[in-house]
Amino acid sequence: MAKRIEVSDLDIYYGDFKAVEGVNVAIEPRSITALIGPSGCGKSTFLRSLNRMHEVIPGARVEGKVVMDGQDLYGADVDPVNVRRQIGMVFQRPNPFPTMSIYENVLAGNRLNSKRMKKAEADDVVERSLRGANLWNEVKDRLDRPGSGLSGGQQQRLCIARAIAVEPDVLLMDEPCSALDPISTLAIEDLMTELKDRFTIVIVTHNMQQAARVSESTGFFNLNGVGQPGRLIEFNPTEKIFSNPDEKATEDYISGRFG
Amino acid sequence: MTATKAPSEPRSQQAVRRPGDRIFAGSAKASGVFILLVLAGVAAFLVSEAVPALTAPAEDVPGGEGLGAYVAPLVLGTLLGAVLALLVATPLAVGIALYVTYYAPRRVAATMGYVIDLLAAIPSVVYGFWGLAVLAPALVPFHVWAADTLGFLSFFAGPASTSGRTMFTVGLVLAVMILPIISAISREVFSQAPALHREAALALGATRWEMIRMAVLPYGKSGVIGGAMLGLGRALGETMAVAIVLSGGAGATLNLISSSNPSTIASNIALRFPEATGLGINTLIASGLVLFVITLAVNMLARWIVNRRADFSGAN
């Protein structure tokens, strides 16, 4: 439950192209870590390397170490499937399974572990997860309806419910609010603040106010130019990043001088 | 014109009519109407030519026992062969499609795609001769084995045919013939399964097979059913290959492996038409009308199956 992730000398490639270079960072448990930076700087790529979703793309690979509570996630005997069961992910666009009901969507991850669940137990997981995602009251009367019939914000909270239903150690969020209106965004942000008591949360966002509002630590990614690998320029407590950053580039970015 | 026009009509309703739009809308509409006309024409021809056979006294219809008794074994034969083909081809086609889209290395996948499409380009008479010369003799040992061990099922009651020219062989030949269309359509829909949902499954810790089961198969289901129905349509109507392979003409039986098999509607028409005269022709056309109705019913059934859970199709 809520584990610490240490990343050392991580290089991330797409085929021969080095997308991210030399990342060293420690992500603390029970806190929200935000990753900001201009488009194409590798923050999403870095996020996807934390639960080994990066290698789903043909030719994509990683060099370096990602260690979660002493276990190297890229160790030779580590099954990426197990890594992803421990580290949940929420995507930029809400993606509930359209062929499943709301109920089945929440249980999708639990069903994968292919253990038989009693009906009462399944009901329990669904209610707990949907309550955890602040969605229960809105959908409790239509659990058998398709998840794709919900609004965008509700769908995203359904995806969060699906991710937390399997009780992961870490929750990765890749711009979870970028497709949502301000009200839904606020709902998700409130939810994140509640969830950080139980999970380690890493969020990629383009919205700097969002990073400032919700996160304890912030990492700033940047790249020197097109075709160059992205780097983690600065990683510091959010307060420091937004008031008195160590790096000139960080200050330029957050003050809107570029990017 | 201005006199009859209501003065309060808002101007904005008079949409601008662009010539390009009108030409395109008109030609699309004309294509749609054209196919309906063709279909209606075929149906009208079949009905009008079938009427004499439908109204004729039973003893005048070939066989001497009326149209129903004449057509029934043909309908059974047609359905037996086509359903057997579908049962064999669909799982195989889905497997091929999944292999090509999600398992095969990219170069192998492309080559396999071409090879399978090539199967669709082979004329059915070639399939017929292949079935007769190669497949039928090769399947004789299976016929014997099936009659010995599975004889308690009415499908394999025997006695086993010594030539292999049976409904079973026909079903397999038809299966090979409809394989390309089902697998091509399945491949197409599987490859379009949204990356969004595939990644959702993988991020939950799905293995490749679980990802396919969660995100690809449900998404592609209606497409596979559609492909299977196209394949079934081809199998129901296949004439040449069946006429060559099957030693048909016997009465209705479920027995797939004996040497006395019911013929199929299409192959029966092809074999009998050259020598048919008078009411014989009308009878054959009436059997063609039955095939037309069967095909229509199968397609409507498929539509119904696909639409039953339209809410969950992912189309919304």
Side-chain angles (χ1 to χ4, degrees):
Chain A
M1 202 76 285
K3 291 183 175 169
R4 177 188 165 91
I5 298 179
E6 279 173 67
V7 179
S8 42
D9 297 325
L10 191 71
D11 297 336
I12 311 175
Y13 297 83
Y14 290 101
D16 294 331
F17 174 67
K18 195 191 236 183
V20 177
E21 184 177 63
V23 177
N24 288 286
V25 70
I27 294 165
E28 295 301 326
R30 288 188 196 77
S31 73
I32 301 179
T33 302
L35 304 175
I36 59 171
S39 294
C41 67
K43 53 196 187 309
S44 287
T45 302
F46 170 68
L47 189 78
R48 289 167 61 96
S49 71
L50 295 183
N51 68 340
R52 298 193 63 170
M53 276 298 285
H54 173 64
E55 65 204 52
V56 165
I57 298 158
R61 66 200 164 83
V62 160
E63 283 171 14
K65 266 190 166 178
V66 179
V67 178
M68 183 168 76
D69 273 13
Q71 179 200 16
D72 184 358
L73 300 185
Y74 284 91
D77 53 345
V78 175
D79 183 351
V81 166
N82 288 332
V83 171
R84 294 177 202 139
R85 285 179 187 177
Q86 287 170 278
I87 305 182
M89 188 163 201
V90 176
F91 293 79
Q92 182 172 358
R93 281 173 59 199
N95 54 2
F97 296 112
T99 51
M100 292 183 194
S101 65
I102 292 171
Y103 186 92
E104 288 300 323
N105 257 295
V106 176
L107 287 175
N110 303 64
R111 299 262 195 249
L112 284 179
N113 299 321
S114 67
K115 55 176 180 205
R116 288 251 151 254
M117 258 181 151
K118 289 204 186 78
K119 178 83 172 79
E121 192 188 346
D123 287 348
D124 204 46
V125 169
V126 169
E127 178 167 351
R128 189 153 32 96
S129 308
L130 285 172
R131 278 191 195 282
N134 286 336
L135 191 61
W136 174 252
N137 287 328
E138 290 158 66
V139 301
K140 64 180 177 213
D141 300 322
R142 45 174 170 159
L143 293 174
D144 57 338
R145 299 298 303 152
S148 49
L150 301 173
S151 76
Q154 289 172 327
Q155 287 190 24
Q156 194 62 300
R157 276 179 283 151
L158 177 57
C159 293
I160 294 174
R162 180 176 66 188
I164 62 178
V166 291
E167 298 287 329
D169 302 316
V170 179
L171 200 54
L172 307 178
M173 303 176 123
D174 191 355
E175 300 184 41
C177 302
S178 65
L180 306 181
D181 68 279
I183 307 280
S184 305
T185 300
L186 198 66
I188 305 262
E189 286 181 11
D190 287 346
L191 177 56
M192 280 191 268
T193 327
E194 285 169 31
L195 291 176
K196 76 174 177 191
D197 295 339
R198 296 159 57 203
F199 304 102
T200 306
I201 298 181
V202 186
I203 174 175
V204 164
T205 178
H206 272 294
N207 180 336
M208 279 179 275
Q209 285 80 13
Q210 182 170 63
R213 278 194 298 265
V214 300
S215 70
E216 274 78 30
S217 310
T218 299
F220 171 60
F221 277 82
N222 201 4
L223 69 177
N224 294 327
V226 178
Q228 303 282 319
R231 293 162 174 277
L232 179 60
I233 303 294
E234 180 170 353
F235 188 85
N236 263 322
T238 302
E239 240 170 79
K240 181 165 168 53
I241 287 260
F242 284 96
S243 58
N244 180 27
D246 289 337
E247 300 290 329
K248 177 82 168 55
T250 314
E251 191 177 351
D252 286 351
Y253 183 73
I254 58 165
S255 60
R257 242 166 281 171
F258 84 98
Chain B
M1 180 183 153
T2 46
T4 56
K5 203 171 180 179
S8 62
E9 194 176 335
R11 279 182 65 89
S12 62
Q13 287 193 349
Q14 293 179 331
V16 184
R17 308 272 301 182
R18 293 181 180 78
D21 269 354
R22 287 164 86 164
I23 293 168
F24 184 75
S27 54
K29 195 175 177 181
S31 312
V33 171
F34 175 73
I35 187 69
L36 287 180
L37 284 180
V38 170
L39 206 63
V42 171
F45 165 79
L46 285 174
V47 171
S48 71
E49 291 295 310
V51 163
L54 292 171
T55 53
E59 60 271 20
D60 291 350
V61 173
E65 288 165 50
L67 191 63
Y70 181 81
V71 174
L74 297 178
V75 170
L76 181 73
T78 307
L79 290 177
L80 268 183
V83 168
L84 180 61
L86 202 62
L87 288 180
V88 173
T90 307
L92 208 56
V94 168
I96 292 170
L98 285 177
Y99 176 71
V100 169
T101 41
Y102 291 106
Y103 287 94
R106 201 166 298 178
R107 209 170 303 162
V108 177
T111 318
M112 268 192 77
Y114 286 124
V115 170
I116 295 163
D117 290 347
L118 202 64
L119 280 178
I122 299 173
S124 59
V125 65
V126 174
Y127 278 111
F129 281 120
W130 171 72
L132 180 68
V134 180
L135 193 62
L139 282 175
V140 169
F142 175 82
H143 283 74
V144 173
W145 175 83
D148 284 349
T149 43
L150 301 172
F152 57 91
L153 296 168
S154 51
F155 295 113
F156 300 109
S161 159
T162 50
S163 66
R165 296 176 60 187
T166 61
M167 196 52 88
F168 183 78
T169 307
V170 167
L172 292 192
V173 173
L174 289 176
V176 177
M177 295 178 71
I178 66 177
L179 200 55
I181 189 153
I182 305 180
S183 70
I185 290 177
S186 305
R187 202 174 68 207
E188 211 52 46
V189 292
F190 290 159
S191 70
Q192 283 168 6
L196 212 60
H197 299 129
R198 284 190 273 130
E199 291 204 328
L202 289 174
L204 282 171
T207 60
R208 179 135 21 158
W209 159 236
E210 287 166 334
M211 179 272 281
I212 287 172
R213 219 181 46 199
M214 281 176 111
V216 177
L217 289 181
Y219 176 84
K221 194 178 66 183
S222 58
V224 172
I225 293 177
M229 288 307 124
L230 280 177
L232 184 61
R234 179 163 189 201
L236 286 171
E238 179 49 41
T239 308
M240 213 51 221
V242 179
I244 293 172
V245 173
L246 190 65
S247 76
T253 170
L254 286 177
N255 196 340
L256 297 174
I257 58 167
S258 80
S259 52
S260 58
N261 301 283
S263 193
T264 72
I265 294 177
S267 71
N268 181 63
I269 295 176
L271 292 173
R272 298 286 161 84
F273 205 81
E275 293 119 54
T277 51
L279 198 61
I281 292 181
N282 298 117
T283 309
L284 290 178
I285 291 177
S287 71
L289 180 66
V290 173
L291 181 59
F292 189 82
V293 171
I294 291 174
T295 312
L296 202 67
V298 162
N299 273 307
M300 285 166 68
L301 183 74
R303 284 283 161 101
W304 180 74
I305 292 173
V306 170
N307 288 337
R308 218 170 18 153
R309 275 166 62 87
D311 279 1
F312 289 88
S313 70
N316 46 355

